[in-house]
Amino acid sequence: MEKWNLDAATDVLYREDREIIRLNRGWGCQPDVLGFGVFLSPPRAEPAAYQEHLLGRVATMARFTSLYRFSPFWTRPAVGGTEKDVQPETLWLLSQTTSGHFTLLVPLLDKVTRYSMRAQDQALMVVAETGDPSVPCSHGPALFVACGDDPYALLLDAARSITQHLGVGRRREDKALPSGIDDFGWCTWDAFYKEVTPEKVLQSLEGFRQAGVSPRWMILDDGWQSWQSSPCGEDLLTSMAANDGFGGNLSALIATAKKKYGIRHFMVWHALLGYWGGLSPESFAAYGVRMVPRQFGPGVLAHEPRWNVHPWGTQQGVPAAEEFGHFYADWHSALAAQGVDGVKVDAQAMLESVSAGQGGRVVMTKASKAALEASVGKHFDGRLINCMACGSEGAYLSHDSVVMRTSDDFFPQRPESHGLHLFTNAVAGLWWGEFMLPDWDMFHSSHSHGSFHAVARAVSGGPVYVSDGIGMHDAAVLKKLVLSDGSVLRADFPGRPSPDVLMADPTQDAVLLKVFNRNQVSGVVALFHAGRGSERLVSHVSLADVPVLSTAPAYVAWAHQLDRLWLCDEEPSVPIELGPAQWEIVSFAPIEHGVAVLGLADKFNSTGAVVSRHWSGARYEVRLRDGGEFLAWAWQKPVELSCEGMRIPYAYDEQTGRLQCHLPSGGPRKVLLSW
């Protein structure tokens, strides 16, 4: 166990003999029971619902990456070289020192207080707030600090320590994924926005069928509910029933979507507090609804001063904390009776702004989260997408739910947003991915950036779904994501930035964004030109880009766009050049007794199609999720290749060892190679 020491004379925090943080006077230090780091407590201060505590400086910082809330609902990466570059509402910061080591700082929460960081001149400030003027900030651990040589292992260990310390939520790998997460989906939002109708939904599903790629789950997004605007501008939910455009009931639409178009899970959208402005006090008096003026904290308002009044009016219709359970149970029971199978719950962080008088933001979020998860578990078998919830409470207080949107929306009409969208989700996966499964949002397959986003979803490790309008599909792009049974090739972990771009901003710096993941024993890294400039950029791709790979003796790599295959021990590093909005995806497969299986070359995440592989005598058996363009490397030409007992013609290149053939699609396939 590493030895940590806070020198009382100098206020320097050490790990072993390494200087970690030069603290301001008065901070306390207590050990982490798991031994991965330490918890720091600020000096005692006058009781208040909002406090600021000067922390100090990170020792020998060379560069950092971080995530901060630029709005109440969403986080965004920030990189820099000194503490002055740290943004208000920073929720974690990973610093690389001049010696190459890493230091992680994570503001915490406790029973009533939520902490964040920001710059204070050349130092860091830790901010404490409760969200309720009558509830003072508690005094206790405010910041977790850990150090290590491997940043990915460091984040994993830190998540374990923080989960143990908080004793409330659970880590991602300890939570069950909802059924259907591996199926292809569709959402109505960017297709129709609020102008959605039953007719448009069914026309869209018919369009997918004609394109040959049908979704197996869908989200009926905003536009189906009953709401009205108040005199002050708030849009309030007035009924649990669907609006007149849906005939007050979703049953007929859902039945047709399932029976005629093969939808297995029909999900609907709603806001945490019912609708954007909350609940109508007159319509929902039974739940103790009151209109509460919105009041976000100074950190959020530092990025946008209008959040308290824009764009949803000045108040929210908020149920009493003790009524959350009844509200969700009643609503979800009615939805389930109509055939609804899950919910996407939006605007979750709105709650922190209207928690005065009910114990504050942590207390209110904990109550609503527990009630929401209990209801979703009972009525929808846990199918919940948490949305607009990218804050400490959203991740750390989620005990059962596991899927969370980790970026602002996909914006079809904002060309400058697409690179930032991918960069944000990849960095969010570093930390939020330890607690939740990041959802990279929907996209349009036929958009000018359609394949750009599709490749990103292929390596994201999260759900894959689009928001295509009626008949507006790029079938070629969709078929590179979706198998014949409607499932997708979801990778093993949340997609994260590769080591060499961990401290870079690919939207501003002249570097390509690299996002890596793993498929069992194989690896994948996607490269994106995420910047706004017109220049072409070059990056080298290697096994080092996928640090989660096991140490196999040798690997073969294959670049999808270049259609180039190479042996990694002969070419350890290969240059990839991309222009604006271009991408490449490289798969790595281990060589096992002279064979490496790269999976299905007609899919973006080719090795994700491989279920198993093993030798049996002189035969090598490969099981695949589907048919398609089978690609492998072999040290010598096989005598025979068969699929489901039938001999299959194949091509073999003696110079490169490339072996390829076409397998009939329509379901799982077993391939036998004989020598």
Side-chain angles (χ1 to χ4, degrees):
M1 184 176 295
E2 296 168 339
K3 294 182 180 179
W4 291 79
N5 175 51
L6 176 55
D7 190 315
T10 62
D11 287 297
V12 174
L13 177 67
Y14 291 91
R15 192 200 68 175
E16 303 293 349
D17 58 350
R18 187 184 302 165
E19 189 176 307
I20 304 301
I21 303 179
R22 299 161 189 164
L23 291 166
N24 193 48
R25 177 68 61 180
W27 282 79
C29 177
Q30 67 183 64
D32 162 23
V33 295
L34 298 184
F36 296 125
V38 291
F39 294 93
L40 299 181
S41 300
R44 289 196 175 274
E46 290 295 318
Y50 179 88
Q51 296 175 342
E52 296 182 342
H53 304 281
L54 188 63
L55 176 69
R57 302 197 65 183
V58 179
T60 64
M61 177 191 288
R63 192 77 172 159
F64 74 82
T65 187
S66 64
L67 211 63
Y68 71 97
R69 285 202 310 167
F70 71 96
S71 85
F73 314 106
W74 304 118
T75 48
R76 183 175 289 170
V79 302
T82 67
E83 285 84 353
K84 67 180 177 59
D85 300 321
V86 176
Q87 297 293 312
E89 280 289 302
T90 291
L91 300 182
W92 61 266
L93 182 148
L94 180 67
S95 167
Q96 188 169 25
T97 67
T98 53
S99 58
H101 305 293
F102 295 90
T103 299
L104 176 68
L105 282 70
V106 182
L108 304 170
L109 53 76
D110 58 28
K111 291 182 178 180
V112 297
T113 311
R114 198 272 337 212
Y115 299 91
S116 64
M117 292 188 299
R118 66 169 174 83
Q120 177 65 32
D121 298 326
Q122 294 292 331
L124 291 175
M125 183 75 78
V126 173
V127 176
E129 54 190 312
T130 67
D132 187 335
S134 66
V135 178
C137 295
S138 50
H139 177 76
L143 191 72
F144 179 76
V145 180
C147 303
D149 298 327
D150 179 341
Y152 306 100
L154 173 61
L155 290 158
L156 172 61
D157 291 340
R160 289 172 175 161
S161 292
I162 288 175
T163 303
Q164 169 80 12
H165 169 76
L166 296 178
V168 181
R170 291 189 294 169
R171 292 175 51 246
R172 170 185 51 81
E173 64 180 30
D174 296 326
K175 294 186 273 192
L177 293 175
S179 59
I181 192 73
D182 291 320
D183 288 336
F184 172 59
W186 174 62
C187 179
T188 63
W189 179 241
D190 285 309
F192 310 117
Y193 299 111
K194 290 188 181 183
E195 304 306 314
V196 63
T197 66
E199 294 75 22
K200 290 178 180 178
V201 170
L202 297 179
Q203 288 170 13
S204 291
L205 294 177
E206 178 63 30
F208 276 108
R209 183 162 71 175
Q210 292 183 12
V213 186
S214 293
R216 292 293 175 254
W217 64 274
M218 65 164 288
I219 302 170
L220 178 61
D221 213 290
D222 191 3
W224 69 270
Q225 293 168 289
S226 299
W227 59 273
Q228 66 180 22
S229 295
S230 73
C232 296
E234 293 83 15
D235 293 339
L236 303 173
L237 190 73
T238 56
S239 173
M240 292 182 178
N243 60 41
D244 292 343
F246 288 82
N249 193 291
L250 301 175
S251 299
L253 171 62
I254 294 173
T256 302
K258 291 181 176 181
K259 184 175 181 180
K260 186 174 181 179
Y261 295 108
I263 293 294
R264 297 167 183 161
H265 299 119
F266 192 108
M267 301 176 68
V268 300
W269 174 97
H270 70 72
L272 183 73
L273 298 174
Y275 204 62
W276 295 111
L279 302 175
S280 164
E282 294 75 25
S283 302
F284 294 96
Y287 304 107
V289 176
R290 60 199 179 100
M291 295 303 293
V292 182
R294 198 179 301 115
Q295 185 59 60
F296 285 106
V300 163
L301 298 180
H303 294 291
E304 171 52 79
R306 299 180 299 164
W307 279 120
N308 288 336
V309 296
H310 176 82
W312 300 295
T314 62
Q315 302 181 91
Q316 290 282 126
V318 186
E322 63 272 15
E323 294 295 334
F324 274 115
H326 297 126
F327 170 63
Y328 294 133
D330 292 346
W331 198 6
H332 292 167
S333 175
L335 290 172
Q338 297 169 60
V340 172
D341 303 293
V343 285
K344 170 188 172 185
V345 180
D346 225 330
Q348 293 192 23
M350 192 77 78
L351 196 64
E352 73 185 59
S353 69
V354 290
S355 59
Q358 298 208 55
R361 55 186 293 172
V362 177
V363 171
M364 281 283 281
T365 304
K366 187 176 180 180
S368 70
K369 179 70 76 173
L372 177 64
E373 291 185 339
S375 180
V376 169
K378 178 179 179 180
H379 298 103
F380 305 130
D381 196 27
R383 284 181 212 92
L384 166 64
I385 297 177
N386 296 283
C387 197
M388 298 176 73
C390 287
S392 305
E393 293 97 332
Y396 304 149
L397 298 180
S398 293
H399 186 271
D400 298 321
S401 62
V402 67
V403 181
M404 182 173 80
R405 271 274 306 280
T406 48
S407 74
D408 203 346
D409 292 9
F410 161 75
F411 293 113
Q413 306 304 322
R414 301 183 190 176
E416 76 282 359
S417 71
H418 301 298
L420 178 60
H421 187 102
L422 271 55
F423 177 43
T424 295
N425 279 296
V427 174
L430 284 168
W431 184 244
W432 295 143
E434 295 295 340
F435 300 89
M436 308 292 283
L437 180 67
D439 170 359
W440 288 36
D441 198 19
M442 63 199 92
F443 66 99
H444 285 164
S445 67
S446 60
H447 192 271
S448 60
H449 285 67
S451 62
F452 187 80
H453 281 277
V455 170
R457 304 315 185 271
V459 298
S460 73
V464 178
Y465 58 117
V466 296
S467 53
D468 292 358
I470 299 171
M472 299 174 66
H473 313 295
D474 187 326
V477 167
L478 294 177
K479 289 178 180 179
K480 287 180 177 291
L481 288 169
V482 187
L483 302 179
S484 59
D485 64 357
S487 65
V488 298
L489 301 176
R490 195 173 57 81
D492 293 348
F493 301 113
R496 292 166 287 176
S498 292
D500 64 340
V501 295
L502 199 56
M503 298 290 159
D505 180 349
T507 69
Q508 303 293 329
D509 303 334
V511 298
L512 297 179
L513 172 63
K514 296 182 184 177
V515 182
F516 75 88
N517 217 313
R518 194 183 77 187
N519 301 294
Q520 297 184 39
V521 298
S522 301
V524 59
V525 59
L527 299 91
F528 305 93
H529 191 307
R532 302 180 189 179
S534 59
E535 73 277 14
R536 297 181 66 81
L537 300 175
V538 178
S539 181
H540 284 74
V541 66
S542 71
L543 284 170
D545 293 322
V546 191
V548 293
L549 282 179
S550 58
T551 54
Y555 282 86
V556 169
W558 175 66
H560 185 109
Q561 296 260 72
L562 292 175
D563 192 22
R564 180 186 170 194
L565 183 149
W566 67 91
L567 292 169
C568 295
D569 56 352
E570 293 182 0
E571 294 185 83
S573 178
V574 170
I576 301 292
E577 181 177 341
L578 300 176
Q582 291 183 340
W583 57 269
E584 179 61 274
I585 187 166
V586 179
S587 296
F588 298 93
I591 299 174
E592 301 169 309
H593 304 290
V595 183
V597 180
L598 289 154
L600 296 179
D602 53 342
K603 305 299 179 188
F604 289 128
N605 186 18
S606 64
T607 59
V610 181
V611 177
S612 65
R613 60 186 77 69
H614 69 272
W615 279 95
S616 178
R619 285 188 164 189
Y620 193 67
E621 178 185 295
V622 180
R623 292 186 179 269
L624 300 167
R625 295 264 304 275
D626 204 350
E629 297 301 317
F630 177 67
L631 179 64
W633 174 90
W635 70 284
Q636 67 178 20
K637 183 178 181 179
V639 173
E640 180 181 289
L641 186 153
S642 65
C643 177
E644 307 300 327
M646 297 179 59
R647 295 188 68 171
I648 302 291
Y650 65 90
Y652 180 76
D653 188 319
E654 296 281 357
Q655 280 193 318
T656 64
R658 178 175 178 143
L659 187 155
Q660 190 165 356
C661 70
H662 178 76
L663 304 175
S665 60
R669 295 289 179 256
K670 181 173 75 172
V671 178
L672 289 176
L673 297 105
S674 304
W675 280 269

